[in-house]
Amino acid sequence: MLHILGRREDGYHELQTLFQFLDYGDELTFAVRDDGVIQLHTEFESVPHDSNLIVKAAKKLQQQSGTSLGIDIWIDKILPMGGGIGGGSSNAATTLLGLNHLWQLGWDHDRLAALGLTLGADVPVFVRGHAAFAEGVGEKLTPVEPEEPWYVVLVPQVSVSTAEIFSDPLLTRNSSPIKVRPVPKGNSRNDCLPVVARRYPEVRNALNLLGKFTEAKLTGTGSCVFGGFPSKAEADKVSALLTETLTGFVAKGSNVSMLHRKLQSLL
C-alpha cells in the first residue's frame, strides 16, 4: 500500500506505506583496501561512477567515520533499474551495513539509518531490515509482521519517473491517515496506480494480465507490478503463463531482509 496524505512545504509528500522484503535481489561483493580508495568496479552506462548510490554511501560513511580504509566493490545486478522495487536503496543500505562490519566501525542501526536517510527516503528501512509500516516521507518506521506469500513480480520494459508521478495534477494527495495497526484489510491501495496506469500503457497491460489471477498491485511508483500467491507452485504456474510475453520473476516475501540474515550468519 502507498497512501499520499498531503504535500509538505519542502515539496516532499507525507506518506503511509508498507514495506516488505523479497528473498531475491542484487548481490554485492566487498574487499577492504588500506589506501582509502573507494572503487566500484561494475560499470553502469546510465549511472556515472560517483553518482551511484553505492559509491555515495561508501564515501559518506568513510567521511563521517574518519576511517582511513577504502573498499573495492562489485555488484551482480539482478533487480531491474527504475522499477520502483528498491534496488538502489537496498544497495546503498547494504554498503553502509557491509562497510560498518568490514571497517569495524561499531555504528548502531540508528546512526546508520540517519546517514541512509540523507541518501534516500527508502534507505532506512533497508538498513533496519525488518518489514515496516512507514510514515513521513518513508523514514518513520514501525516494525510489522505481515503474511509472507510468494510473489509474482512483472517488470514492464519502461522506466517510470517518480518526480513526474508526484507532480501530476491528478495524483490523489488527500488520503485519510490510517490510525490502526496493523494496516486493516481493504487499505491496500496505491494512490500512484491510477496516474501510472494512465501514463504508461506497458504498466497498465501488466496490471490487467496479472489481475486475471490475483489482486495486482504497483510497487511504489512502479514500473514493477506484483501479486501474492499462497504457494510457490501457484506462483510458478502463473509466472510461466505471463513471462512468455513479459519479463518477470517469482520471489518469497520475507519480513527479515536477506542482508540481515547474511549479517547474522557472520556474527
Side-chain angles (χ1 to χ4, degrees), residues 150-152 227-240 250-251:
W150 286 88
Y151 291 111
V152 172
F229 295 86
S231 70
K232 185 176 187 298
E234 289 184 58
D236 283 340
K237 182 178 179 181
V238 171
S239 178
V250 170

Side-chain angles (χ1 to χ4, degrees), residues 152-156 206 209-210 223-226 242-243 246-249:
V152 172
V153 182
L154 298 180
V155 187
L209 289 173
L210 186 56
S223 62
C224 286
V225 169
F226 69 97
L242 297 180
T243 53
L246 275 166
T247 302
F249 59 89

Side-chain angles (χ1 to χ4, degrees), residues 39-44 49 52 73-77:
Q39 181 65 49
L40 175 62
H41 293 275
T42 309
E43 295 183 4
F44 296 91
H49 180 273
N52 194 299
I73 309 171
W74 296 264
I75 178 169
D76 180 10
K77 186 67 183 154

Side-chain angles (χ1 to χ4, degrees), residues 13-89:
H13 287 77
E14 286 285 339
L15 310 172
Q16 287 186 325
T17 189
L18 191 62
F19 288 108
Q20 190 179 48
F21 305 100
L22 300 176
D23 66 348
Y24 181 96
D26 302 339
E27 195 165 289
L28 279 76
T29 302
F30 302 102
V32 176
R33 304 174 61 128
D34 59 10
D35 60 3
V37 172
I38 291 171
Q39 181 65 49
L40 175 62
H41 293 275
T42 309
E43 295 183 4
F44 296 91
E45 286 185 11
S46 58
V47 184
H49 180 273
D50 288 353
S51 298
N52 194 299
L53 270 184
I54 295 169
V55 176
K56 287 184 174 182
K59 288 186 173 180
K60 279 206 170 189
L61 185 61
Q62 184 189 57
Q63 290 163 2
Q64 294 200 16
S65 68
T67 184
S68 61
L69 297 173
I71 202 78
D72 287 313
I73 309 171
W74 296 264
I75 178 169
D76 180 10
K77 186 67 183 154
I78 296 171
L79 293 172
M81 296 179 70
I85 206 166
S89 297

Side-chain angles (χ1 to χ4, degrees), residues 173-246:
R173 293 185 175 85
N174 60 350
S175 284
S176 299
I178 295 172
K179 297 179 180 178
V180 181
R181 307 289 187 275
V183 178
K185 289 190 181 297
N187 280 278
S188 62
R189 75 181 184 280
N190 183 335
D191 286 338
C192 295
L193 190 150
V195 174
V196 175
R198 176 173 51 82
R199 283 175 169 264
Y200 296 90
E202 299 92 340
V203 176
R204 186 168 65 246
N205 180 52
L207 286 163
N208 290 338
L209 289 173
L210 186 56
K212 294 177 180 179
F213 302 95
T214 187
E215 184 182 2
K217 302 179 182 182
L218 186 71
T219 171
T221 55
S223 62
C224 286
V225 169
F226 69 97
F229 295 86
S231 70
K232 185 176 187 298
E234 289 184 58
D236 283 340
K237 182 178 179 181
V238 171
S239 178
L241 292 171
L242 297 180
T243 53
E244 291 179 3
T245 55
L246 275 166

Side-chain angles (χ1 to χ4, degrees), residues 100-166:
N100 182 55
H101 176 81
L102 292 169
W103 288 344
Q104 299 181 338
L105 301 178
W107 284 30
D108 62 21
H109 288 167
D110 288 344
R111 195 173 178 187
L112 290 168
L115 177 58
L117 183 59
T118 68
L119 296 162
D122 293 348
V123 177
V125 72
F126 289 102
V127 168
R128 297 189 182 280
H130 198 284
F133 180 79
E135 299 174 275
V137 295
E139 86 288 5
K140 300 174 185 175
L141 303 170
T142 303
V144 291
E145 296 285 346
E147 294 178 1
E148 298 176 311
W150 286 88
Y151 291 111
V152 172
V153 182
L154 298 180
V155 187
Q157 297 305 293
V158 61
S159 181
V160 175
S161 166
T162 299
E164 182 182 286
I165 300 307
F166 274 101

